[in-house]
Amino acid sequence: MHEELRVAAYAVCVRDGQVLLARWVAADGSRRWTLPGGGMEHGEDPYDTVIREAEEETGYAVDPVALLGVDSIRRRYPRKLGMFADFHGLRLVYEGRVTGGTLRHEESGSTDMAAWHDLGAVGELPQVSL
C-alpha cells in the first residue's frame, strides 16, 4: 500500500455576516465550495501557506490572526495497477483577516471561483468536507 501525506492550511475569513469561499473543481469536473487554502510546499511554514494560497485563490491579502484548529483525515482509495493508497490529510485552519487586494477568481488552479457567501446559506452549498 502506498502512503500519502498532505499537509494543508486554510483561512476562515468572515466579515459583515459573510464567509469567503473558493470553489474547488474535482478531477471529475464536479464543483464544491471550500475555505481558501491548500497544500503546503516542502519547507514552507503553514502560516506562509495560508497567505499564499488565499491570495492565489481569491486575490486577497489575508493575515492569519489565530490558529482555530487542526483537522486530520485518513482514507484508503484505489490507485493504478490494482494498488491502494493510504491517504492522510492534515489540515490547519486559521482565522483570517482580509487586509488588501481585490476579489478575483483563480486561473489555471484547483479552484475556478471565489465569492463571499451569507453564513446562513453556507449549509445549502455543495461543499468539501472540512
Side-chain angles (χ1 to χ4, degrees):
M1 186 170 313
H2 177 75
E3 294 179 349
E4 296 177 4
L5 174 65
R6 181 175 187 266
V7 181
Y10 297 88
V12 177
C13 300
V14 177
R15 71 176 185 198
D16 302 326
Q18 295 187 314
V19 62
L20 180 62
L21 298 176
R23 192 170 68 177
W24 176 69
V25 182
D28 66 4
S30 64
R31 290 163 166 76
R32 295 181 298 218
W33 292 96
T34 188
L35 296 170
M40 192 168 73
E41 295 176 359
H42 181 78
E44 185 177 36
D45 188 281
Y47 186 89
D48 296 327
T49 300
V50 74
I51 292 169
R52 175 182 54 76
E53 286 283 346
E55 193 281 327
E56 287 176 4
E57 294 181 354
T58 70
Y60 286 126
V62 171
D63 180 23
V65 295
L67 179 64
L68 297 176
V70 176
D71 179 59
S72 179
I73 61 165
R74 197 158 172 202
R75 125 178 34 123
R76 184 176 184 252
Y77 64 90
R79 292 179 53 98
K80 294 179 183 177
L81 304 174
M83 301 292 291
F84 283 86
D86 179 6
F87 174 82
H88 182 195
L90 188 63
R91 302 178 289 195
L92 292 85
V93 182
Y94 290 89
E95 175 186 355
R97 184 181 62 218
V98 174
T99 59
T102 303
L103 181 64
R104 60 145 176 80
H105 307 313
E106 182 177 28
E107 294 183 20
S108 303
S110 60
T111 65
D112 70 346
M113 181 183 286
W116 291 95
H117 294 272
D118 290 332
L119 287 169
V122 170
E124 304 302 316
L125 297 172
Q127 53 191 282
V128 172
S129 65
L130 179 63

